[in-house]
Amino acid sequence: MYDWLIVGAGFAGSVMAERLASQMDQRVLVIDKRPHIAGNAFDVLDAAGVLIHQYGPHIFHTNAQSIVDYLSQFTEWRDYEHRVLAQVDGMLVPIPINRTTINTLYGLNLTSDGVERFLAERRVPIDDIKTSEDVVLSTVGHELYEKFFRGYTRKQWGVDPSELSRTVTARIPTRTNDDDRYFTDSFQRMPAEGYTRMFERMLDHPNIELRLATEYADIRDSVKFRRMVFTGPIDEFFDHRLGHLPYRSLRFQHETYDVEQVQPVATINFPQTEDYTRVTEYKHLTGQKHAKTSVTFEYPSATGDPYYPIPREENAALYREYEALARATPDVWFVGRLANYKYFNMDQVVGQALATFERIRKEAEEQDVAPQTSAAQGGTSRHLSGSLVRQKP
Ligand code: FAD
Ligand code: UDP
């Protein structure tokens, strides 16, 4: 009998397992259908010995010191600020669009004020910004929208930016200065020995048992547990009884070249040409010294593993129906990107898992004081139906 079954060994499942095991002395079984830990953040040496991210480039960035402090128990960090170039009109220019981008594309020599005027003349006034198209048109106007965003977004998501929530392209700022960093968060570093090593340390606890290559549906009737954390797709948990939530998938093509470096920066985006969206060369991220170099091409796909929830109102509405089912399901906590159908970055998933754990701990403490009172709980997770949470194995 386990106190907890945790489905998924990515950020959501591993943080929950680590906290429950180390802070509440709970006996935890973590399963993952994949043959490895770390979820989509999994990194591994490829055949040439180059450290790659099997599921595409993962750059850690956050403004939350508490999340840095938590993860720093399991890893040291290497400085890294992500930079991305876009291939537009045959040139390589910075994305997010900045002063260099405008000056290079248009053969100008504008100051920051000049860039501001340049954009102001082109912006489309939109009162109610609802879609991803609205966001970009109202910031940079039609031409830059077409060059940088429309094609990339259609390729990545399989729909036009006008059909996507504004939150998607709102991830990308526009700048009038020369800052060419992809992110401006206060903390931008990579785990010094990689993500997988960090997860190994998180899960290395005598209260945690790990079973890989194990699908939840195959063990749910044979394993005994009191409570569960589910980090897979929420519609799958409920056997798609309200219908399928749409996800966007990717096919990752990993390649190794017999030279030290092939790109000037880690990632090059292709908004106008090619079937792939971007190419990432890992040695920029990892700092690895190696005579060869490895890259990943990302080909968006409608079929395959679910990597991205698709932010559209109709999908959010269906998710809310599943969320209502989740609230009515005792003793199961839904944590992470797929379980909440939210386009979370890694730090947001860690933050959600830590907050969920704190609620579990608080309720257990309250139940210790008043064991006959059933606890109520808000947020995205589940209520506790009993008072077993502090019971020892
Ligand atoms: P996951 O990592 O998906 O883990 C869920 C785990 O559950 C998986 O390992 C899965 O195999 C397992 N599972 C699911 N269903 C079952 C089942 N039925 N039985 C058993 N196991 C199951 N974030 C950033 O902050 N920076 C980035 O640069 C960044 N880049 C990204 C690039 C790509 C291409 C993608 C797809 C995502 C990127 N992200 C990035 C987001 C990041 O991957 C997620 O925020 C994070 O990995 C989510 O963690 P999670 O635990 O919720 O989900
Ligand atoms: N985007 C774009 N052109 C780019 C970069 C991004 O159109 O050169 C849009 C696209 O819709 C993308 C979104 O902005 O999906 C968010 O980009 P981000 O790099 O954050 O995507 P992720 O790394 O999550 O795939």
Side-chain angles (χ1 to χ4, degrees):
M1 172 67 96
Y2 299 93
D3 296 313
W4 292 84
L5 170 66
I6 298 190
V7 179
F11 269 103
S14 298
V15 172
M16 291 301 296
E18 187 282 327
R19 290 286 87 182
L20 289 164
S22 73
Q23 304 299 302
M24 290 177 72
D25 200 20
Q26 297 285 285
R27 192 160 172 247
V28 181
L29 172 63
V30 180
I31 65 162
D32 202 299
K33 62 182 172 192
R34 290 167 168 166
H36 59 72
I37 58 172
N40 286 340
F42 177 63
D43 51 19
V44 65
L45 293 181
D46 67 9
V50 179
L51 186 64
I52 64 161
H53 296 184
Q54 186 153 312
Y55 305 97
H58 279 68
I59 295 98
F60 190 80
H61 57 102
T62 188
N63 287 312
Q65 188 58 42
S66 57
I67 291 168
V68 175
D69 291 343
Y70 172 73
L71 292 176
S72 299
Q73 298 175 82
F74 312 106
T75 187
E76 300 199 337
W77 302 93
R78 79 173 288 267
D79 287 341
Y80 173 71
E81 288 181 321
H82 194 46
R83 287 183 169 77
V84 180
L85 296 172
Q87 187 180 291
V88 171
D89 297 349
M91 289 175 253
L92 285 179
V93 291
I95 174 84
I97 292 170
N98 69 3
R99 191 170 82 103
T100 315
T101 313
I102 303 288
N103 282 337
T104 309
L105 270 186
Y106 293 99
L108 299 170
N109 192 17
L110 300 173
T111 61
S112 287
D113 287 346
V115 174
E116 177 51 41
R117 279 192 298 276
F118 179 98
L119 295 175
E121 283 162 14
R122 287 161 176 80
R123 277 181 196 129
V124 179
I126 299 173
D127 288 339
D128 187 11
I129 295 176
K130 286 207 178 90
T131 71
S132 271
E133 179 182 76
D134 297 342
V135 170
V136 184
L137 288 181
S138 64
T139 318
V140 298
H142 277 287
E143 191 168 301
L144 291 167
Y145 166 67
E146 294 288 341
K147 285 187 194 300
F148 286 86
F149 287 92
R150 188 148 192 237
Y152 188 105
T153 301
R154 290 175 73 104
K155 202 164 29 172
Q156 168 72 10
W157 297 96
V159 294
D160 195 76
S162 60
E163 295 173 81
L164 279 174
S165 147
R166 63 182 182 179
T167 56
V168 176
T169 52
R171 291 167 63 89
I172 312 298
T174 302
R175 304 187 182 125
T176 54
N177 61 16
D178 291 332
D179 189 349
D180 62 349
R181 296 171 305 159
Y182 207 64
F183 308 109
T184 50
D185 302 52
S186 54
F187 186 92
Q188 308 186 39
R189 293 185 187 186
M190 297 289 286
E193 295 164 78
Y195 290 98
T196 304
R197 187 73 194 100
M198 178 175 81
F199 277 80
E200 281 168 1
R201 293 204 188 95
M202 286 168 83
L203 294 169
D204 180 16
H205 191 282
N207 283 349
I208 299 177
E209 185 182 322
L210 185 62
R211 288 193 211 165
L212 297 174
T214 301
E215 166 69 56
Y216 168 59
D218 295 339
I219 56 114
R220 68 177 160 199
D221 296 330
S222 55
V223 169
K224 293 206 180 341
F225 55 91
R226 296 191 171 93
R227 295 200 167 77
M228 191 196 317
V229 173
F230 188 79
T231 76
I234 189 168
D235 54 330
E236 180 193 300
F237 181 87
F238 291 108
D239 298 322
H240 306 109
R241 73 177 76 153
L242 304 173
H244 284 257
L245 280 166
Y247 299 88
R248 193 69 175 157
S249 191
L250 292 169
R251 180 172 66 80
F252 301 102
Q253 188 174 318
H254 306 295
E255 290 194 359
T256 301
Y257 301 101
D258 210 356
V259 291
E260 277 197 43
Q261 187 181 313
V262 288
Q263 297 187 169
V265 292
T267 299
I268 297 186
N269 285 1
F270 292 86
Q272 293 175 319
T273 58
E274 319 308 331
D275 291 338
Y276 41 84
T277 48
R278 58 187 179 190
V279 181
T280 299
E281 182 177 30
Y282 292 103
K283 282 165 66 186
H284 295 275
L285 314 180
T286 60
Q288 186 180 5
K289 303 281 177 241
H290 198 293
K292 298 187 181 187
T293 192
S294 296
V295 305
T296 297
F297 297 75
E298 293 177 54
Y299 290 89
S301 161
T303 55
D305 281 354
Y307 291 121
Y308 292 84
I310 303 179
R312 300 180 68 173
E313 182 40 43
E314 65 200 67
N315 302 345
L318 180 55
Y319 166 70
R320 284 193 291 273
E321 290 182 40
Y322 275 113
E323 191 185 24
L325 276 185
R327 284 184 191 284
T329 307
D331 297 336
V332 185
W333 300 65
F334 293 85
V335 186
R337 176 147 146 151
L338 301 172
N340 288 270
Y341 201 69
K342 299 266 178 338
Y343 191 174
F344 283 149
N345 291 328
M346 295 180 282
D347 64 320
Q348 294 171 297
V349 173
V350 174
Q352 193 203 26
L354 292 175
T356 304
F357 169 74
E358 287 307 332
R359 281 200 298 275
I360 290 169
R361 172 150 70 179
K362 190 157 167 275
E363 285 172 19
E365 284 166 5
E366 285 165 5
Q367 285 173 356
D368 267 0
V369 176
Q372 70 277 39
T373 310
S374 174
Q377 178 227 318
T380 51
S381 308
R382 299 286 0 110
H383 60 84
L384 296 174
S385 64
S387 59
L388 294 169
V389 81
R390 302 202 65 170
Q391 188 166 319
K392 300 279 176 359

